[in-house]
Amino acid sequence: MCELSTLKSLSQLTSVMRMDRVLEIASAGGAESDKMKSFLESIWQSYKLDEVKNKGYPIAERPFISPLLWTYFTAYRHILYYPYTLVALGRTGIGADALENKDKTLSIIASVLPHQKDNLDKFGTDLLHHLIDEIDQLILREIERTLTGEDNDKRGMERAAAVITSAAAAFGAASPKIDISMIPDSIAKRD
């Protein structure tokens, strides 16, 4: 099974669980904690999550695709790896306190799906699984735009730049000022 398919299936499973409570129980110690860690270990083994590695595919290769498509794919991976991280923490008895990037992940997703910001603020990471299909559709539309030669237009560059800047701010990096006018005409379409 493809790595992302496995993670999507895991996301489906964890979407019906109160993962905050699961992690709380797993990290509390005692008999109930041991049962919860055993339950999470069985999930880990059932999904063969030891075989799922953040290999970086296609990050290691990074084929040429539009910046906006790459941005959508990055958001998609953030969503899919979130439940993996929760199960990994819980099976070892580490609580949600160790998860520092929760707000950062929400910020990235909100920058890709700005119309979902209020819902993300209200439901937090519980909403992430329910956004997978929406990002899937964005990815497919952007692939279609790329295949029809509509990639690298000004709108796409501006949108990708806004998301990259938001992600950099969320992760504490210096927010780069991305000036799309600096992109050489030979590789960017201009209006």
Side-chain angles (χ1 to χ4, degrees), residues 168-187:
F171 284 94
S175 297
K177 293 291 184 190
I178 300 173
D179 181 3
I180 64 167
S181 68
M182 299 299 291
I183 298 169
D185 288 335
S186 62
I187 63 167

Side-chain angles (χ1 to χ4, degrees), residues 52-148:
V52 173
K53 304 279 190 258
N54 191 352
K55 299 173 187 157
Y57 302 131
I59 291 172
E61 302 299 323
R62 191 161 182 183
F64 179 77
I65 56 175
S66 74
L68 191 55
L69 178 53
W70 192 254
T71 301
Y72 292 154
F73 180 71
T74 300
Y76 184 76
R77 287 186 77 233
H78 268 276
I79 289 175
L80 293 181
Y81 271 97
Y82 192 78
Y84 172 90
T85 303
L86 296 179
V87 173
L89 289 173
R91 75 189 260 260
T92 60
I94 300 173
D97 296 341
L99 191 61
E100 297 176 5
N101 294 340
K102 178 178 169 181
D103 292 334
K104 296 172 185 178
T105 296
L106 291 173
S107 177
I108 289 169
I109 304 308
S111 66
V112 170
L113 301 172
H115 62 282
Q116 294 286 3
K117 183 167 181 358
D118 290 342
N119 289 327
L120 285 162
D121 289 344
K122 183 176 180 180
F123 299 107
T125 56
D126 290 341
L127 184 63
L128 292 179
H129 172 74
H130 305 285
L131 300 177
I132 290 172
D133 289 338
E134 186 172 352
I135 293 180
D136 263 340
Q137 291 304 309
L138 290 172
I139 289 170
L140 291 173
R141 271 187 260 146
E142 194 61 25
I143 288 171
E144 182 179 13
R145 287 175 40 80
T146 299
L147 292 174
T148 59

Side-chain angles (χ1 to χ4, degrees), residues 35-46:
K35 286 180 189 176
M36 185 60 70
K37 289 187 287 189
S38 178
F39 170 68
L40 293 170
E41 182 64 34
S42 70
I43 290 172
W44 190 269
Q45 296 304 320
S46 295

